[in-house]
Amino acid sequence: MIFNTTTYLVLGILLREPKSGYDIVKELASFRPAKSSQIYPILAKLEANGFVDCTQVQQDGKPNKKVYSVTSTGKAKLEAWLDTEPEPPVIRDDFLSMVYSVWIKEPETLERLIKDRKTYMEQRLDFFTEKLAVMEASFPADIHNFYSWRHCTRLLYSRRIAMTAQEIEWCNDVLKDHALARRTTEA
Amino acid sequence: MIFNTTTYLVLGILLREPKSGYDIVKELASFRPAKSSQIYPILAKLEANGFVDCTQVQQDGKPNKKVYSVTSTGKAKLEAWLDTEPEPPVIRDDFLSMVYSVWIKEPETLERLIKDRKTYMEQRLDFFTEKLAVMEASFPADIHNFYSWRHCTRLLYSRRIAMTAQEIEWCNDVLKDHALARRTTEA
DNA sequence: GCTCTCATGTAAATGGTTACATGATTCT
DNA sequence: AGAATCATGTAACCATTTACATGAGAGC
């Protein structure tokens, strides 16, 4: 069986807390989005190879669901992965590809591109700041405990927040430069 | 013909300056890495559909190469794309997936992960800082001229540098927290 | 009756990587 | 002779997305 990064992520999610495929998709949404058509086959393979167990759970007011939990073999596999070196990050960002070529258009196009990006990043910043605040209020002890998964979540939120704030700052710098240069040209 | 983001990037590279497939791969390497097996078919398709022209160039001391340049149709296509809205960015980062699950291991694993990341980011920071410095020294006028492609390159470098510096800062924060918490535990 | 959320999947297509194949030229 | 860089490509595979299919239950 082939273990790619997404498969390890699924194991990691289920190790925190048993979940259904549908719930895994929701958990991934804000962090590393994946479609259900990718998750369900991964779960099926993990189960077929004994890395996760599955139990049917009846719900009232909702359809039944299949809740998966990690086996000891699954946990061992995840632990072994954490001792390896991660690949360098890959960023797919259309926005950057557009900035790369935006010099062929009027300056207004760059301005629009940056303003839209800033708006998007401000929304993301609010989203993650809120998430972190809720977690801090709900689990004040866990988030500073090395052996709690919420500690890891806190680290990831704080990184996201810092990165997003940094990008907003960059947008402001570009817009400032832009305004300055245009005033100079007009004068 | 299907135009994906990579195809637009190839057009953007060739519009700055005509290049061979081999050169395009090198140009992309530090920004959005792609393999030659992806670039050559894109060039073939672009040529077959009249978006780029190709001329054989003899070189001495090196094998001959095929240099591509963008046609007016190709430029129009790129311009139209710049008026659309970019998709939200996608980040594939094994490191983050590892941090997500590292709570199941001893704290040393997190420490190692962060230290290695910091080292990697410091290398990247040096690389981009050097690149920007060279460009600033070589083309002091261009980098502030809206209608020069080097202006766009400067924006992308400055963003990369700020982002990378920010990530190093985050690594330092995590390591400081970590040291503090361990001292508290030992005391 | 219609839409929304919950829930699980399959099939086809696209985007990208890995592996392979070939050949010129330069440097050691 | 062997490795390194330059140069162009093909074939097979993997990862992910898009589109499709189905169905229960809730709320309007």
Side-chain angles (χ1 to χ4, degrees):
Chain A
M1 180 191 174
I2 299 144
F3 266 74
N4 55 29
T5 310
T6 312
T7 305
Y8 284 116
L9 246 185
V10 168
L11 272 186
I13 289 168
L14 295 177
L15 196 60
R16 287 175 169 213
E17 172 164 33
K19 274 187 161 62
S20 67
Y22 189 83
D23 289 331
I24 292 172
V25 172
K26 280 199 294 182
E27 167 74 17
L28 283 170
S30 68
F31 165 58
R32 191 193 189 279
K35 304 292 149 96
S36 56
S37 52
Q38 194 186 1
I39 300 307
Y40 287 118
I42 286 177
L43 285 171
K45 266 191 199 170
L46 282 171
E47 198 195 356
N49 290 275
F51 296 108
V52 298
D53 282 335
C54 173
T55 46
Q56 286 271 347
V57 171
Q58 264 120 301
Q59 300 184 110
D60 51 322
K62 286 180 195 171
N64 298 346
K65 61 178 174 180
K66 293 161 83 174
V67 170
Y68 294 88
S69 45
V70 181
T71 63
S72 54
T73 340
K75 195 187 173 193
K77 195 87 186 169
L78 186 58
E79 280 174 336
W81 180 60
L82 292 172
D83 286 327
T84 66
E85 290 222 352
E87 297 286 298
V90 176
I91 300 168
R92 296 275 143 78
D93 196 340
D94 284 15
F95 167 74
L96 298 179
S97 301
M98 285 181 167
V99 171
Y100 184 88
S101 291
V102 79
W103 63 278
I104 66 169
K105 303 275 287 184
E106 339 73 62
E108 284 74 26
T109 307
L110 173 62
E111 206 179 321
R112 176 189 56 78
L113 223 46
I114 302 284
K115 278 184 178 164
D116 287 354
R117 178 71 159 199
K118 191 183 158 189
T119 306
Y120 172 77
M121 285 296 161
E122 282 168 346
Q123 280 166 11
R124 299 288 285 172
L125 184 63
D126 286 350
F127 176 81
F128 286 110
T129 306
E130 170 70 14
K131 281 260 190 184
L132 180 58
V134 167
M135 201 177 67
E136 271 172 345
S138 312
F139 307 94
D142 285 358
I143 59 168
H144 294 292
N145 174 4
F146 280 139
Y147 301 97
S148 162
W149 57 261
R150 286 186 223 275
H151 176 247
C152 289
T153 300
R154 199 200 97 228
L155 294 181
L156 293 175
Y157 278 152
S158 77
R159 182 182 170 281
R160 251 304 165 84
I161 289 167
M163 284 284 149
T164 311
Q166 168 54 60
E167 175 131 14
I168 292 168
E169 219 179 284
W170 175 80
C171 286
N172 284 332
D173 288 347
V174 175
L175 291 172
K176 216 164 67 184
D177 249 39
H178 201 260
L180 213 80
R182 295 185 78 184
R183 223 176 303 130
T184 313
T185 312
E186 280 158 21
Chain B
M1 182 194 173
I2 299 145
F3 266 74
N4 56 28
T5 310
T6 311
T7 304
Y8 284 115
L9 247 185
V10 168
L11 272 185
I13 290 168
L14 295 177
L15 195 60
R16 287 176 168 211
E17 176 165 28
K19 274 187 160 65
S20 66
Y22 190 82
D23 290 332
I24 292 172
V25 172
K26 279 200 294 182
E27 166 75 16
L28 282 171
S30 68
F31 165 57
R32 191 192 190 283
K35 304 293 149 96
S36 56
S37 52
Q38 193 186 4
I39 300 307
Y40 287 118
I42 286 177
L43 285 171
K45 266 192 199 170
L46 282 171
E47 198 195 358
N49 289 275
F51 297 108
V52 298
D53 282 336
C54 172
T55 46
Q56 286 272 348
V57 172
Q58 264 121 302
Q59 299 184 110
D60 49 323
K62 286 179 197 173
N64 298 346
K65 60 178 175 179
K66 293 161 84 175
V67 170
Y68 294 88
S69 45
V70 180
T71 63
S72 55
T73 340
K75 194 187 174 194
K77 194 87 185 169
L78 185 58
E79 280 174 336
W81 180 61
L82 292 172
D83 286 327
T84 65
E85 290 222 350
E87 297 286 298
V90 176
I91 301 168
R92 296 276 142 79
D93 195 340
D94 284 13
F95 166 74
L96 298 179
S97 301
M98 285 182 167
V99 170
Y100 184 87
S101 292
V102 79
W103 63 279
I104 65 169
K105 304 274 288 184
E106 339 72 61
E108 285 75 24
T109 307
L110 173 62
E111 206 178 322
R112 175 188 58 79
L113 223 47
I114 302 285
K115 278 184 177 165
D116 287 355
R117 178 70 158 202
K118 192 184 158 189
T119 305
Y120 172 77
M121 285 297 160
E122 280 168 347
Q123 280 167 10
R124 300 288 285 172
L125 184 62
D126 286 350
F127 176 81
F128 286 110
T129 306
E130 170 69 14
K131 281 258 189 186
L132 180 59
V134 167
M135 200 177 67
E136 271 174 345
S138 311
F139 307 95
D142 285 357
I143 58 168
H144 294 291
N145 173 6
F146 281 140
Y147 301 96
S148 162
W149 57 260
R150 287 186 222 274
H151 176 247
C152 289
T153 300
R154 197 200 100 228
L155 293 182
L156 293 176
Y157 278 152
S158 78
R159 182 182 169 281
R160 250 307 165 81
I161 289 167
M163 284 284 148
T164 310
Q166 167 56 60
E167 176 131 11
I168 292 168
E169 219 179 283
W170 175 81
C171 286
N172 284 331
D173 288 348
V174 174
L175 291 172
K176 216 165 69 184
D177 248 40
H178 202 260
L180 214 80
R182 295 184 79 185
R183 223 176 302 128
T184 312
T185 312
E186 281 158 18

